[in-house]
Protein backbone atom coordinates (compact mmCIF):
# COMPACT_ATOMS: atom_id res chain seq x y z
CA UNK A 1 0.00 0.00 0.00
CA UNK A 2 1.00 3.59 -0.50
CA UNK A 3 0.31 4.77 3.06
CA UNK A 4 3.94 4.87 4.22
CA UNK A 5 5.29 6.62 1.10
CA UNK A 6 2.42 9.12 1.17
CA UNK A 7 3.13 10.03 4.79
CA UNK A 8 6.83 10.43 3.94
CA UNK A 9 6.10 12.75 1.00
CA UNK A 10 3.69 14.69 3.18
CA UNK A 11 6.34 15.05 5.92
CA UNK A 12 8.90 16.34 3.39
CA UNK A 13 6.42 18.87 1.96
CA UNK A 14 5.47 20.07 5.46
CA UNK A 15 9.15 20.49 6.41
CA UNK A 16 9.73 22.47 3.19
CA UNK A 17 6.83 24.72 4.14
CA UNK A 18 8.31 25.26 7.61
CA UNK A 19 11.69 26.03 6.03
CA UNK A 20 10.07 28.57 3.71
CA UNK A 21 8.32 30.34 6.60
CA UNK A 22 11.58 30.47 8.55
CA UNK A 23 13.85 31.50 5.67
CA UNK A 24 11.89 34.15 3.76
CA UNK A 25 11.07 37.76 4.62
CA UNK A 26 8.47 38.47 1.95
CA UNK A 27 5.08 38.17 3.67
CA UNK A 28 3.34 36.89 0.53
CA UNK A 29 5.89 34.11 0.01
CA UNK A 30 5.53 33.15 3.68
CA UNK A 31 1.79 32.99 3.13
CA UNK A 32 2.30 30.66 0.16
CA UNK A 33 4.46 28.42 2.36
CA UNK A 34 1.59 28.22 4.87
CA UNK A 35 -0.63 27.02 2.00
CA UNK A 36 2.03 24.43 1.19
CA UNK A 37 1.89 23.14 4.79
CA UNK A 38 -1.92 22.93 4.63
CA UNK A 39 -1.58 20.86 1.45
CA UNK A 40 0.91 18.52 3.07
CA UNK A 41 -1.60 17.90 5.86
CA UNK A 42 -4.34 17.31 3.27
CA UNK A 43 -2.16 14.65 1.69
CA UNK A 44 -1.87 12.94 5.09
CA UNK A 45 -5.65 13.01 5.52
CA UNK A 46 -6.28 11.52 2.08
CA UNK A 47 -3.64 8.82 2.57
CA UNK A 48 -5.15 7.78 5.93
CA UNK A 49 -8.69 7.95 4.52
CA UNK A 50 -7.80 4.93 2.39
CA UNK A 51 -7.56 2.86 5.57
CA UNK A 52 -9.75 4.68 8.07
CA UNK A 53 -12.80 5.65 6.02
CA UNK A 54 -14.13 8.62 4.14
CA UNK A 55 -14.07 11.03 7.14
CA UNK A 56 -10.51 12.02 6.21
CA UNK A 57 -11.60 13.20 2.78
CA UNK A 58 -14.44 15.20 4.33
CA UNK A 59 -11.96 16.88 6.65
CA UNK A 60 -9.87 17.85 3.61
CA UNK A 61 -13.00 19.57 2.30
CA UNK A 62 -13.20 21.66 5.49
CA UNK A 63 -9.47 22.42 5.42
CA UNK A 64 -9.89 23.76 1.88
CA UNK A 65 -12.79 26.00 2.92
CA UNK A 66 -10.80 27.41 5.86
CA UNK A 67 -7.74 27.89 3.61
CA UNK A 68 -9.83 29.85 1.11
CA UNK A 69 -11.19 32.10 3.86
CA UNK A 70 -7.70 32.53 5.31
CA UNK A 71 -6.23 33.45 1.92
CA UNK A 72 -8.90 36.07 1.26
CA UNK A 73 -8.57 37.74 4.67
CA UNK A 74 -4.76 37.43 4.80
CA UNK A 75 -4.25 38.99 1.39
CA UNK A 76 -6.64 41.81 2.30
CA UNK A 77 -4.54 42.45 5.44
CA UNK A 78 -1.43 42.50 3.26
CA UNK A 79 -3.03 45.06 0.94
CA UNK A 80 -3.87 47.24 3.96
CA UNK A 81 -0.30 46.93 5.30
CA UNK A 82 1.19 47.78 1.90
CA UNK A 83 -1.00 50.85 1.69
CA UNK A 84 0.35 52.11 5.04
CA UNK A 85 4.03 51.10 4.79
CA UNK A 86 4.68 50.65 1.05
CA UNK A 87 6.31 47.25 1.76
CA UNK A 88 5.43 43.65 2.58
CA UNK A 89 8.93 42.85 3.83
CA UNK A 90 8.45 41.61 7.39
CA UNK A 91 11.71 43.21 8.53
CA UNK A 92 10.34 46.67 7.77
CA UNK A 93 7.03 46.08 9.56
CA UNK A 94 8.00 46.87 13.15
CA UNK A 95 5.13 49.04 14.30
CA UNK A 96 4.70 47.10 17.57
CA UNK A 97 8.39 47.36 18.49
CA UNK A 98 8.62 50.04 21.21
CA UNK B 1 0.70 -1.96 -9.35
CA UNK B 2 4.12 -1.02 -10.71
CA UNK B 3 2.55 1.57 -13.03
CA UNK B 4 0.77 3.06 -10.00
CA UNK B 5 4.05 3.17 -8.12
CA UNK B 6 5.83 4.87 -11.02
CA UNK B 7 3.08 7.50 -11.28
CA UNK B 8 3.06 8.00 -7.50
CA UNK B 9 6.82 8.50 -7.17
CA UNK B 10 6.99 10.63 -10.32
CA UNK B 11 4.42 13.09 -9.04
CA UNK B 12 5.85 12.93 -5.50
CA UNK B 13 9.28 13.91 -6.84
CA UNK B 14 7.69 16.67 -8.93
CA UNK B 15 5.82 17.99 -5.87
CA UNK B 16 8.92 18.03 -3.66
CA UNK B 17 11.14 19.56 -6.36
CA UNK B 18 8.64 22.28 -7.19
CA UNK B 19 8.15 23.03 -3.47
CA UNK B 20 11.93 23.37 -3.09
CA UNK B 21 12.05 25.80 -6.03
CA UNK B 22 9.03 27.65 -4.59
CA UNK B 23 10.78 28.45 -1.30
CA UNK B 24 14.09 29.42 -2.94
CA UNK B 25 13.04 31.62 -5.89
CA UNK B 26 13.71 35.33 -5.40
CA UNK B 27 10.81 36.49 -7.54
CA UNK B 28 7.37 36.04 -5.83
CA UNK B 29 5.69 35.37 -9.20
CA UNK B 30 8.10 32.48 -9.87
CA UNK B 31 7.44 31.18 -6.34
CA UNK B 32 3.69 31.29 -6.94
CA UNK B 33 3.97 29.45 -10.28
CA UNK B 34 6.15 26.72 -8.76
CA UNK B 35 3.60 26.39 -5.96
CA UNK B 36 0.94 25.83 -8.65
CA UNK B 37 3.08 22.95 -9.99
CA UNK B 38 3.24 21.50 -6.47
CA UNK B 39 -0.53 21.77 -6.05
CA UNK B 40 -1.11 20.04 -9.40
CA UNK B 41 1.22 17.19 -8.39
CA UNK B 42 -0.56 16.80 -5.05
CA UNK B 43 -3.86 16.60 -6.95
CA UNK B 44 -2.36 13.77 -9.02
CA UNK B 45 -1.30 12.03 -5.78
CA UNK B 46 -4.90 12.36 -4.55
CA UNK B 47 -6.07 10.51 -7.68
CA UNK B 48 -3.57 7.72 -7.00
CA UNK B 49 -4.88 7.54 -3.41
CA UNK B 50 -8.53 6.99 -4.56
CA UNK B 51 -9.69 10.54 -3.82
CA UNK B 52 -10.73 11.74 -7.27
CA UNK B 53 -13.37 14.18 -6.02
CA UNK B 54 -10.88 15.82 -3.65
CA UNK B 55 -8.36 16.01 -6.52
CA UNK B 56 -10.81 17.94 -8.70
CA UNK B 57 -11.63 20.17 -5.74
CA UNK B 58 -7.90 20.76 -5.22
CA UNK B 59 -7.49 21.90 -8.83
CA UNK B 60 -10.56 24.17 -8.75
CA UNK B 61 -10.08 25.73 -5.31
CA UNK B 62 -6.30 25.78 -4.80
CA UNK B 63 -4.70 25.89 -8.24
CA UNK B 64 -7.64 27.85 -9.63
CA UNK B 65 -9.03 30.28 -7.09
CA UNK B 66 -6.45 30.70 -4.33
CA UNK B 67 -3.37 30.92 -6.55
CA UNK B 68 -5.09 33.41 -8.86
CA UNK B 69 -5.79 35.50 -5.74
CA UNK B 70 -2.08 35.31 -4.81
CA UNK B 71 -0.89 36.28 -8.30
CA UNK B 72 -3.46 39.07 -8.41
CA UNK B 73 -2.18 40.57 -5.13
CA UNK B 74 1.49 40.16 -6.19
CA UNK B 75 0.81 42.06 -9.39
CA UNK B 76 -1.40 44.63 -7.64
CA UNK B 77 1.46 45.41 -5.22
CA UNK B 78 3.96 45.40 -8.12
CA UNK B 79 6.28 42.88 -6.40
CA UNK B 80 7.00 40.99 -9.62
CA UNK B 81 10.28 42.65 -10.49
CA UNK B 82 13.39 41.15 -8.98
CA UNK B 83 14.80 43.18 -6.11
CA UNK B 84 17.39 42.11 -3.58
CA UNK B 85 16.81 38.58 -2.30
CA UNK B 86 14.54 38.37 0.74
CA UNK B 87 16.25 35.25 2.07
CA UNK B 88 17.59 35.69 5.61
CA UNK B 89 21.29 36.06 6.38
CA UNK B 90 23.66 33.12 7.06
CA UNK B 91 22.73 32.83 10.77
CA UNK B 92 18.99 32.93 10.08
CA UNK B 93 19.47 30.49 7.19
CA UNK B 94 21.32 28.00 9.40
CA UNK B 95 18.75 28.19 12.21
CA UNK B 96 15.85 27.88 9.75
CA UNK B 97 17.28 24.85 7.96
CA UNK B 98 18.15 23.25 11.31
CA UNK B 99 14.63 23.72 12.70
CA UNK B 100 12.99 22.50 9.47
CA UNK B 101 15.28 19.46 9.45
CA UNK B 102 14.32 18.74 13.06
CA UNK B 103 10.65 18.99 12.09
CA UNK B 104 11.24 16.56 9.21
CA UNK B 105 12.95 14.04 11.49
CA UNK B 106 10.09 14.23 13.98
CA UNK B 107 7.43 13.80 11.28
CA UNK B 108 9.27 10.85 9.74
CA UNK B 109 9.48 9.35 13.23
CA UNK B 110 5.73 9.73 13.66
CA UNK B 111 5.31 7.72 10.46
CA UNK B 112 6.53 4.62 12.31
CA UNK B 113 3.46 4.60 14.52
CA UNK B 114 1.23 2.81 12.03
CA UNK B 115 -2.48 3.46 11.78
CA UNK B 116 -4.93 0.89 13.06
CA UNK B 117 -6.07 -1.19 10.09
CA UNK B 118 -9.71 -0.22 9.61
CA UNK B 119 -10.85 -0.84 6.06
CA UNK B 120 -9.65 -3.59 3.78
CA UNK B 121 -7.27 -2.62 1.01
CA UNK B 122 -9.10 -1.04 -1.91
CA UNK B 123 -12.35 -0.47 0.01
CA UNK B 124 -12.50 3.19 -1.05
CA UNK B 125 -11.97 2.27 -4.71
CA UNK B 126 -14.73 -0.35 -4.47
CA UNK B 127 -17.17 2.12 -2.89
CA UNK B 128 -16.40 4.59 -5.67
CA UNK B 129 -16.96 1.91 -8.31
CA UNK B 130 -20.32 0.97 -6.77
CA UNK B 131 -21.77 4.39 -5.89
CA UNK B 132 -19.76 6.82 -8.02
CA UNK B 133 -17.12 9.32 -6.89
CA UNK B 134 -19.26 11.92 -5.15
CA UNK B 135 -21.99 10.07 -3.14
CA UNK B 136 -19.62 8.37 -0.63
CA UNK B 137 -18.39 11.86 0.37
CA UNK B 138 -21.64 13.78 -0.07
CA UNK B 139 -23.85 11.50 2.09
CA UNK B 140 -21.88 11.87 5.36
CA UNK B 141 -21.18 15.53 4.57
CA UNK B 142 -24.90 16.36 4.53
CA UNK B 143 -25.92 14.06 7.39
CA UNK B 144 -23.27 13.43 10.07
CA UNK B 145 -21.22 16.54 9.27
CA UNK B 146 -24.14 18.87 8.51
CA UNK B 147 -23.50 21.28 11.41
CA UNK B 148 -19.78 21.78 10.61
CA UNK B 149 -20.79 22.28 6.98
CA UNK B 150 -23.22 25.06 7.90
CA UNK B 151 -20.66 26.66 10.22
CA UNK B 152 -18.23 26.67 7.29
CA UNK B 153 -20.71 28.70 5.28
CA UNK B 154 -20.88 31.26 8.10
CA UNK B 155 -17.06 31.33 8.21
CA UNK B 156 -16.91 32.02 4.48
CA UNK B 157 -19.47 34.82 4.83
CA UNK B 158 -17.42 36.36 7.66
CA UNK B 159 -14.24 36.10 5.57
CA UNK B 160 -16.01 37.75 2.63
CA UNK B 161 -17.17 40.69 4.74
CA UNK B 162 -13.80 40.91 6.50
CA UNK B 163 -11.84 40.98 3.25
CA UNK B 164 -14.03 43.75 1.83
CA UNK B 165 -13.72 45.84 5.00
CA UNK B 166 -9.92 45.35 5.25
CA UNK B 167 -9.27 46.12 1.59
CA UNK B 168 -11.30 49.34 1.65
CA UNK B 169 -9.29 52.48 1.06
CA UNK B 170 -10.06 54.02 4.47
CA UNK B 171 -9.41 51.48 7.22
Amino acid sequence: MLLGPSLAVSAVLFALGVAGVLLRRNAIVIFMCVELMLNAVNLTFVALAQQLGVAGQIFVFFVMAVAAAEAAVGLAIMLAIYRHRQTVNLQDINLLKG
Amino acid sequence: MTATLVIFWGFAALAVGAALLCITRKNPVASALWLVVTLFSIAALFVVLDAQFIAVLQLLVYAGAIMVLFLFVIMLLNLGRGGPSDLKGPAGLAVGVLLAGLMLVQLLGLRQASAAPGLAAGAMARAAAEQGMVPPIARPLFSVYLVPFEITSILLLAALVGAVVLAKRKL
Side-chain angles (χ1 to χ4, degrees):
Chain A
M1 286 305 281
L2 288 169
L3 177 61
S6 304
L7 294 185
V9 171
S10 163
V12 172
L13 286 175
F14 193 92
L16 281 174
V18 172
V21 170
L22 292 175
L23 297 184
R24 300 299 293 258
R25 291 206 184 96
N26 189 328
I28 289 186
V29 178
I30 288 179
F31 212 42
M32 288 197 277
C33 292
V34 173
E35 299 289 332
L36 182 61
M37 283 193 267
L38 284 171
N39 261 281
V41 173
N42 282 354
L43 185 57
T44 309
F45 276 125
V46 169
L48 287 170
Q50 260 198 323
Q51 288 201 357
L52 301 177
V54 80
Q57 293 192 15
I58 290 170
F59 207 90
V60 171
F61 180 86
F62 289 124
V63 170
M64 279 182 185
V66 173
E70 170 236 344
V73 174
L75 289 171
I77 290 173
M78 247 160 252
L79 276 179
I81 289 175
Y82 188 83
R83 205 168 283 141
H84 277 272
R85 316 277 306 196
Q86 313 303 325
T87 180
V88 289
N89 193 327
L90 289 185
Q91 202 145 60
D92 302 332
I93 301 169
N94 48 10
L95 209 62
L96 286 179
K97 215 170 175 181
Chain B
M1 195 59 200
T2 40
T4 314
L5 274 181
V6 169
I7 292 171
F8 178 86
W9 283 114
F11 277 109
L14 188 61
V16 171
L20 204 57
L21 284 168
C22 167
I23 66 169
T24 50
R25 292 304 92 184
K26 189 168 72 171
N27 190 331
V29 175
S31 274
L33 292 178
W34 280 115
L35 187 60
V36 171
V37 175
T38 306
L39 298 179
F40 263 97
S41 318
I42 292 176
L45 294 184
F46 286 171
V47 173
V48 176
L49 293 171
D50 297 328
Q52 287 87 351
F53 178 62
I54 298 292
V56 173
L57 221 56
Q58 163 101 353
L59 288 185
L60 288 178
V61 175
Y62 265 115
I66 294 182
M67 289 321 291
V68 167
L69 202 60
F70 270 98
L71 284 172
F72 185 76
V73 169
I74 290 171
M75 289 172 184
L76 199 65
L77 302 186
N78 207 5
L79 302 173
R81 61 186 56 139
S85 174
D86 68 318
L87 274 172
K88 289 190 177 152
L93 212 68
V95 171
V97 169
L98 187 74
L99 286 177
L102 210 63
M103 187 92 211
L104 179 62
V105 170
Q106 286 181 344
L107 287 174
L108 287 178
L110 270 182
R111 200 168 57 92
Q112 304 298 327
S114 63
L119 299 180
M124 297 288 288
R126 254 201 316 284
E130 280 166 15
Q131 310 175 35
M133 297 300 166
V134 183
I137 298 176
R139 276 207 192 86
L141 186 61
F142 289 104
S143 53
V144 183
Y145 299 100
L146 183 63
V147 175
F149 180 79
E150 296 295 344
I151 292 173
T152 305
S153 66
I154 296 174
L155 172 76
L156 286 173
L157 178 66
L160 190 73
V161 175
V164 170
V165 169
L166 280 172
K168 267 200 323 192
R169 200 145 281 284
K170 285 241 169 196
L171 194 62

